[in-house]
Amino acid sequence: MGRIRVLPDAVANQIAAGEVVERPASVIKELLENSLDAGSTSISIEAESGGRRLLRITDNGCGMLRDDAMLAFERHATSKLSSVKDLFSISTLGFRGEALPSIASVSRLTLESHAPEESTGTRVEIHGGKMIRCDEAALANGTVITVRDLFFNVPARKKFLRSDQTELAHIASLVTHYSLAHPDKTFELRHDNRELLHVTPVATLRERVFQVFGSHILDDLIDIGEHEKEFLLPDPPQGVPDEERTRVFLLRGFVSMPQVQKYNRNSIYLFVNGRLIRDKLLLHAMQAAYHNLMPPGAFPFALLFLDCDAEEVDVNVHPSKTEVRFRHGSWVHDYVRDAIRGSIMQSRPLSSLPMQAPPQPAARLPYSEFSQQMENAALRQVIPPDDAQGVQPADLPSFTLHQPLAPAPRFEFNEAPPPVPSTPATVRTRIPDTHGGLPDGVVLDSVHSLDILKDLRPLGQLHESFILAAGRDGLWIIDQHVAHERILFEQVLRQRAAGRVEQQALLMPIVIELTAGQQIEYAQIADELRLSGFDSEPFGNRTIAISAAPAAVKPGDIEKILFEILETSERELRGATLDEVRRNVCATIACRAAIKINMRLDQQKMEWMLAELAKCEHPTNCPHGRPIALRYSTRDILKGFHRI
Ligand code: ADP
Ligand code: MG
């Protein structure tokens, strides 16, 4: 007799469960997807003890017929797929027919379901994959699945579960994000009898974001609108008409302004055809969209929905269905990158000053405590430590970045302002032409607003740290350090790309000692350092000698810069691309070499700075993502003086 045996179903199911069911949140993901596939409009989830003691999901979907309710627990039993052909045009979230048998094999599961086509419902109970009972029962239409004692029969798995709080956080994040993908449905989440989330149907994604995160998060987000793009299949079989060669892609959602920075990718939510996924290609496209607007190792917040023809995306890549493969991946990559980049650029992440106190957050939703936590977690801004000496953040005026910046003032200078209410109607004052340069009738256009930088005229300095400037569209305040940092960064990058970084030779080499870790990092980035202008050589064990440095850097700063580069490399750039390493090196040089705040600048220097800033490719944020300029628009000024 041979040695190979076919595994009994019970064992096969437990093996499959290893892939599908990792933790309580993965159970919820599968059950939630089933409820959505069943056409439910209201889904309610209960959990106890982080989901390990109990998980229950109640939906008002199509329910299951009696025979189906039993069949559903057979391996590969699905109503969503009947042939291999269907596999290439999947429009449901599930299709593998694995979830229910897998979950039932590692828990005590009860299914209660009633399809309106039958007069009564069905209750099925399965413990560790064994059918305990199957009865008729009087039940409401829809389905309730209760999962108790997850992994009771797989102690090895149970050991890997984290604290209740952590498991709950995973569940909450999952439910929250599915709720964002379906603004038209009701979602409810309760834990140990406390309500954590309850959202009722709304018409738009924007309203759902508001329900889930509260109002002020919206102010830090850019609505990218709807980017529809057609892709024409390159090599269609002969005779196929154009409309059949066309594939339509639609991208919509929200991304954060560059100054919102996260340490990891956990705040990037990508949905492809309604399915929450983690996809390297799309993550890369996101990162490429923020290229040079954020430091390497920082990530944005994003909530993106990509919809396309089912044939364009293979969802059958991984059992948990969290990965996809695009048929025309590089086209999708560039399309997503350009759509996001375009939206970021158009929204002009120039910060403006609030006129009044920031708007109060809208009335909190019932699960305020939870949403507050989610919100904090979602938008905790990581602001790099200020390297400016002398001025502590607390000393600086506290600018709030709450105003949506998009619509720039459209204001006609030859138009008389409406009378101030208390003024007699006959008194019509012309608006003072404060900038002094524009002829009557010039309309300030919002689209090419970055051109406005070219016309900035320095008026003076505030606290020897900020340049005040008059522009065509109002008053500008520019952080001199951050602006100079951006100018130098782009300059170093340009010189670096052209292969001619200006260098200074050192009379005496600077010898520095490295730790073992730094030594490893140094070996990895030595080439990049050389190309960026640092000439260095190993000098004995764990010691290097630097004989030349970039011209922009003060000799006294060289050692510090080098350590800083090595430290960032160690912390953030593990597995980073060469390009990220390069940007890190350039950003560090720029930051060190840039003038500090608390430094007097004469008129000429200020003019030079503004002119150079106007030439920058990305004059809105420093390489660390901090805003460079705040703008007090003419419209706001006029409003402030009650002239409009
Ligand atoms: P899949 O979702 O891949 O088809 P599952 O094991 O998750 O496989 O579910 C098996 C079948 O059970 C589904 O195809 C569907 O017909 C039925 N089903 C599961 N959950 C529900 C539900 N909440 N409402 C109605 N039918 C359901
Ligand atoms: Mg399923």
Side-chain angles (χ1 to χ4, degrees):
M1 201 168 107
R3 290 182 215 153
I4 296 179
R5 273 177 299 147
V6 172
L7 291 176
D9 264 2
V11 182
N13 284 338
Q14 272 205 19
I15 292 174
E19 287 171 323
V20 180
V21 189
E22 189 193 339
R23 57 181 359 146
S26 29
V27 172
I28 292 299
K29 175 173 184 291
E30 293 296 335
L31 300 182
L32 237 167
E33 290 188 349
N34 281 346
S35 295
L36 290 168
D37 281 346
S40 314
T41 56
S42 175
I43 299 172
S44 138
I45 290 156
E46 281 168 68
E48 284 176 18
S49 308
R52 38 177 114 223
R53 185 158 52 207
L54 175 128
L55 288 166
R56 176 177 293 131
I57 177 160
T58 305
D59 71 40
N60 63 352
C62 65
M64 291 159 84
L65 298 171
R66 199 175 161 72
D67 290 347
D68 287 348
M70 316 237 302
L71 198 60
F73 293 95
E74 297 289 328
R75 227 165 125 61
H76 305 306
T78 177
S79 56
K80 301 167 193 173
L81 204 72
S82 57
S83 73
V84 175
K85 206 170 109 268
D86 296 347
L87 200 52
F88 300 102
S89 56
I90 294 164
S91 59
T92 50
L93 295 168
F95 56 88
R96 299 174 63 103
E98 271 181 339
L100 288 184
S102 300
I103 298 166
S105 75
V106 292
S107 67
R108 300 183 222 274
L109 183 147
T110 310
L111 164 84
E112 293 163 295
S113 193
H114 181 199
E117 298 95 310
E118 291 181 333
S119 56
T120 55
T122 311
R123 180 178 293 120
V124 179
E125 208 168 313
I126 299 180
H127 289 183
K130 271 202 223 68
M131 177 82 73
I132 304 289
R133 61 193 174 121
C134 173
D135 307 318
E136 232 176 77
L139 298 166
N141 286 344
T143 303
V144 184
I145 294 182
T146 310
V147 175
R148 289 195 170 84
D149 306 327
L150 186 64
F151 298 138
F152 78 97
N153 54 350
V154 204
R157 280 257 145 183
K158 205 168 170 176
K159 269 213 305 259
F160 279 103
L161 291 183
R162 310 283 293 278
S163 69
D164 284 6
Q165 249 358 71
T166 306
E167 295 303 334
L168 175 64
H170 282 279
I171 296 174
S173 157
L174 194 102
V175 179
T176 304
H177 289 92
Y178 268 95
S179 83
L180 288 161
H182 299 272
D184 56 336
K185 299 183 195 296
T186 298
F187 288 84
E188 200 182 346
L189 171 65
R190 304 179 70 86
H191 182 251
D192 291 341
N193 249 336
R194 267 182 56 218
E195 185 175 85
L196 296 181
L197 176 82
H198 187 184
V199 285
T200 49
V202 281
T204 62
L205 175 60
R206 194 181 179 79
E207 286 165 84
R208 182 54 55 97
V209 169
F210 174 86
Q211 284 182 318
V212 171
F213 294 118
S215 67
H216 37 296
I217 193 170
L218 279 169
D219 298 332
D220 280 335
L221 298 183
I222 300 165
D223 186 343
I224 69 160
E226 301 208 336
H227 290 263
E228 196 178 285
K229 195 160 178 185
E230 288 182 354
F231 176 76
L232 217 55
L233 292 181
D235 305 307
Q238 267 201 332
V240 172
D242 260 9
E243 52 289 4
E244 282 173 36
R245 285 178 62 190
T246 312
R247 300 284 179 267
V248 182
F249 286 79
L250 178 70
L251 183 73
R252 62 200 171 84
F254 292 89
V255 294
S256 54
M257 307 244 197
Q259 62 266 29
V260 178
Q261 292 171 22
K262 322 289 297 160
Y263 274 126
N264 54 38
R265 297 186 174 84
N266 292 351
S267 304
I268 301 180
Y269 294 93
L270 303 170
F271 288 81
V272 173
N273 288 347
R275 187 192 305 279
L276 183 60
I277 55 139
R278 297 257 120 216
D279 180 64
K280 286 206 187 80
L281 179 109
L282 293 180
L283 284 172
H284 189 270
M286 286 277 324
Q287 238 170 322
Y290 283 85
H291 184 76
N292 281 358
L293 294 174
M294 264 195 193
F299 300 90
F301 168 97
L303 176 63
L304 290 173
F305 298 89
L306 177 63
D307 292 311
C308 61
D309 292 312
E311 304 100 78
E312 281 299 303
V313 52
D314 183 359
V315 287
N316 190 22
V317 179
H318 189 267
S320 66
K321 297 168 288 172
T322 48
E323 287 171 34
V324 293
R325 197 176 294 130
F326 290 98
R327 247 178 97 188
H328 300 99
S330 74
W331 184 89
V332 171
H333 174 275
D334 293 358
Y335 151 66
V336 169
R337 179 200 57 202
D338 296 346
I340 298 173
R341 180 94 179 167
S343 301
I344 299 173
M345 285 328 217
Q346 224 182 15
S347 85
R348 302 184 298 124
L350 303 170
S351 307
S352 75
L353 289 169
M355 281 297 295
Q356 306 96 10
Q360 290 307 302
R364 307 262 14 144
L365 291 143
Y367 60 99
S368 55
E369 204 182 306
F370 165 70
S371 83
Q372 191 68 53
Q373 278 171 17
M374 289 291 293
E375 197 175 299
N376 292 345
L379 274 193
R380 197 166 296 134
Q381 297 192 11
V382 182
I383 298 171
D386 202 312
D387 56 346
Q389 290 125 26
V391 173
Q392 295 303 310
D395 297 332
L396 299 173
S398 57
F399 301 133
T400 10
L401 301 178
H402 77 275
Q403 274 201 349
L405 304 163
R410 267 189 80 86
F411 189 75
E412 299 202 13
F413 272 77
N414 61 354
E415 187 184 275
V420 180
S422 58
T423 324
T426 46
V427 180
R428 293 198 134 216
T429 326
R430 273 187 65 79
I431 297 154
D433 188 349
T434 46
H435 60 282
L438 283 178
D440 275 3
V442 170
V443 178
L444 292 188
D445 198 344
S446 61
V447 184
H448 303 292
S449 63
L450 291 180
D451 287 350
I452 286 177
L453 281 173
K454 286 203 194 101
D455 300 325
L456 291 188
R457 196 161 46 80
L459 302 171
Q461 226 181 343
L462 182 69
H463 299 319
E464 305 197 328
S465 303
F466 305 100
I467 301 173
L468 301 180
R472 260 192 280 159
D473 66 338
L475 178 70
W476 290 59
I477 305 175
I478 291 135
D479 182 320
Q480 63 193 42
H481 168 71
V482 183
H484 195 207
E485 198 178 348
R486 166 52 72 180
I487 295 166
L488 289 174
F489 175 66
E490 293 198 5
Q491 187 186 321
V492 179
L493 268 188
R494 266 198 311 274
Q495 291 181 354
R496 167 73 188 69
R500 10 175 202 90
V501 175
E502 278 174 49
Q503 269 186 316
Q504 53 180 323
L506 302 175
L507 284 176
M508 285 279 287
I510 300 178
V511 177
I512 58 178
E513 264 177 62
L514 305 177
T515 64
Q518 286 166 338
Q519 171 93 357
I520 296 167
E521 292 306 322
Y522 170 73
Q524 276 170 7
I525 63 168
D527 273 351
E528 193 47 49
L529 281 173
R530 189 174 49 74
L531 293 169
S532 305
F534 289 98
D535 283 349
S536 63
E537 264 177 284
F539 185 78
N541 193 22
R542 290 217 211 130
T543 309
I544 53 169
I546 304 166
S547 52
V553 175
K554 276 201 244 82
D557 280 341
I558 293 173
E559 186 172 348
K560 240 196 249 164
I561 292 192
L562 219 83
F563 277 125
E564 216 167 283
I565 292 173
L566 290 173
E567 191 195 318
T568 339
S569 304
E570 212 177 342
R571 213 179 37 205
E572 289 172 358
L573 299 179
R574 286 246 151 88
T577 61
L578 192 63
D579 184 51
E580 285 165 336
V581 173
R582 178 167 313 152
R583 283 195 293 142
N584 173 45
V585 173
C586 294
T588 312
I589 295 172
C591 181
R592 276 281 152 210
I595 54 153
K596 304 284 178 269
I597 56 172
N598 273 339
M599 185 184 277
R600 222 181 72 76
L601 299 179
D602 60 26
Q603 184 74 9
Q604 220 182 350
K605 286 218 178 77
M606 290 192 278
E607 278 167 14
W608 175 86
M609 182 94 85
L610 297 181
E612 288 300 308
L613 187 62
K615 286 188 217 151
C616 282
E617 206 181 331
H618 302 298
T620 55
N621 294 79
C622 83
H624 301 108
R626 278 193 281 179
I628 291 175
L630 302 173
R631 190 195 50 189
Y632 200 177
S633 75
T634 311
R635 170 165 281 273
D636 286 343
I637 295 172
L638 292 171
K639 265 204 208 139
F641 286 117
H642 295 209
R643 288 188 176 277
I644 53 171

